[in-house]
Amino acid sequence: MPPIICVVSLGRGRGKTRLIEWLIEKLSNEGVRIATIKHSMEPIDLRGKDTYRHLEAGAAETCYISPRELAILRRSSGSIEEAISSLNPDHDLILVEGFKRSPYPKILCAESLEEAREAIKQIENIIAVTGESIPGSGEIDGVKLLDRDRVLKLVKGLVVESWIKGVPNLNCGKCRYGSCGKLIEAIKRGEATIRDCAMRRFLAAKITIDGVEVPLGAWPQQLLRELLRAFIRSLKLRDLRLEDARRVVVEIDLGGVEAGESAR
């Protein structure tokens, strides 16, 4: 799971959206892949549109696609966990606007130190406070006061830490750095990202456990793919042709299996 950071405030107009936009621009230019989540108490206003009519007719989920965009709308519980699980797992960072009651680390946007003190009392896991009228250094009630540049450094540091943890330490020698140790050093210097890892670039098969990817070398990936192909060929596929397929997704609910076994 990539780092998840919520940008929160006690009220509107504190600069949450502006900060997220700025972080996206700066970090994207450094090779960071970012997903965002926006929390709102208002429903998406699509009344009168065909997409809305699909939902109103009872569709559990509908996909809107244009030549440049794809959007999926579904009836949901409105939880941050559901939003996170719906995102592509290949992002380096998830920035969330809102969800101040969530357990994830938070950057507080405040318009004064007094407001920041009140927010720290009400909101848990605030790791930094920023804002146009907030000092760019120091602390308040044990929480760092940061200007935008220091916020950027903080967030990039969390991404780099995640990248380093994602290096598989297989020392396959296939990346341009020659070893996992040298790749890690290049990541620390800002000269590489996790996508410079040869094992991450080669993708014949992938395993994730509760959203965390398990590093696999080229041979284990190929073996897993061929084993799965052989298993699928043994099934009665009816009108499905494995030869025409481009992608196969397998999901295994380990909790469900254990529950079933215990029931027996």
Side-chain angles (χ1 to χ4, degrees):
M1 183 70 68
I4 300 168
I5 301 174
C6 298
V7 179
V8 301
S9 69
L10 284 184
R12 295 176 179 269
R14 303 305 194 267
K16 298 189 298 294
T17 302
R18 290 194 301 273
L19 177 61
I20 290 175
E21 286 176 329
W22 186 78
L23 289 172
I24 293 170
E25 180 182 353
K26 294 295 184 181
L27 292 169
S28 296
N29 289 337
E30 296 183 27
V32 180
R33 292 181 179 175
I34 303 169
T36 65
I37 297 171
K38 173 69 171 73
H39 188 214
S40 175
M41 299 305 294
E42 301 295 329
I44 299 173
D45 188 6
L46 293 172
R47 292 184 182 277
K49 301 295 184 181
D50 291 346
T51 305
Y52 181 82
R53 291 170 62 185
H54 294 181
L55 290 172
E56 285 296 285
E61 186 172 82
T62 184
C63 177
Y64 174 86
I65 187 166
S66 74
R68 296 184 58 188
E69 299 162 321
L70 183 150
I72 295 177
L73 298 175
R74 68 169 66 106
R75 303 295 186 189
S76 77
S77 63
S79 71
I80 188 173
E81 288 76 17
E82 184 176 1
I84 291 168
S85 66
S86 70
L87 295 173
N88 189 305
D90 295 329
H91 298 295
D92 303 314
L93 172 67
I94 299 174
L95 291 175
V96 182
E97 184 172 341
F99 281 106
K100 56 178 173 280
R101 303 303 176 198
S102 75
Y104 299 102
K106 301 173 187 71
I107 297 171
L108 173 71
C109 292
E111 62 180 6
S112 68
L113 291 177
E114 290 74 17
E115 184 179 83
R117 286 193 179 93
E118 184 60 31
I120 291 169
K121 294 177 184 177
Q122 297 182 28
I123 304 172
E124 66 176 17
N125 206 4
I126 295 175
I127 60 174
V129 177
T130 190
E132 293 182 0
S133 301
I134 299 297
S137 61
E139 291 188 355
I140 180 172
D141 296 342
V143 180
K144 294 178 181 178
L145 302 174
L146 303 178
D147 58 23
R148 288 202 313 178
D149 290 331
R150 288 186 173 90
V151 170
L152 175 64
K153 184 177 180 181
L154 170 67
V155 175
K156 179 63 183 295
L158 295 174
V159 172
V160 167
E161 183 180 324
S162 175
W163 282 345
I164 290 172
K165 289 181 180 179
V167 175
N169 288 313
L170 298 173
N171 288 318
C172 67
K174 294 181 180 179
C175 75
R176 60 189 173 119
Y177 297 98
S179 72
C180 290
K182 290 181 179 178
L183 172 59
I184 288 173
E185 291 304 314
I187 290 175
K188 290 179 179 179
R189 294 193 302 268
E191 299 171 1
T193 75
I194 190 62
R195 280 170 290 285
D196 286 290
C197 173
M199 294 298 98
R200 298 285 179 168
R201 291 197 305 268
F202 181 87
L203 186 58
K206 180 169 69 173
I207 297 175
T208 60
I209 299 177
D210 290 339
V212 179
E213 184 176 346
V214 179
L216 295 176
W219 182 80
Q221 288 187 43
Q222 291 171 332
L223 176 62
L224 180 59
R225 180 174 62 181
E226 296 310 312
L227 286 172
L228 186 58
R229 277 179 171 169
F231 173 73
I232 292 173
R233 288 193 183 101
S234 71
L235 303 175
K236 295 180 179 179
L237 299 179
R238 297 185 180 180
D239 296 332
L240 291 175
R241 285 175 49 83
L242 184 60
E243 294 77 10
D244 297 332
R246 298 292 300 168
R247 183 181 179 87
V248 176
V249 177
V250 177
E251 294 186 8
I252 301 175
D253 186 346
L254 297 179
V257 170
E258 292 173 357
E261 289 176 346
S262 63
R264 290 194 298 269

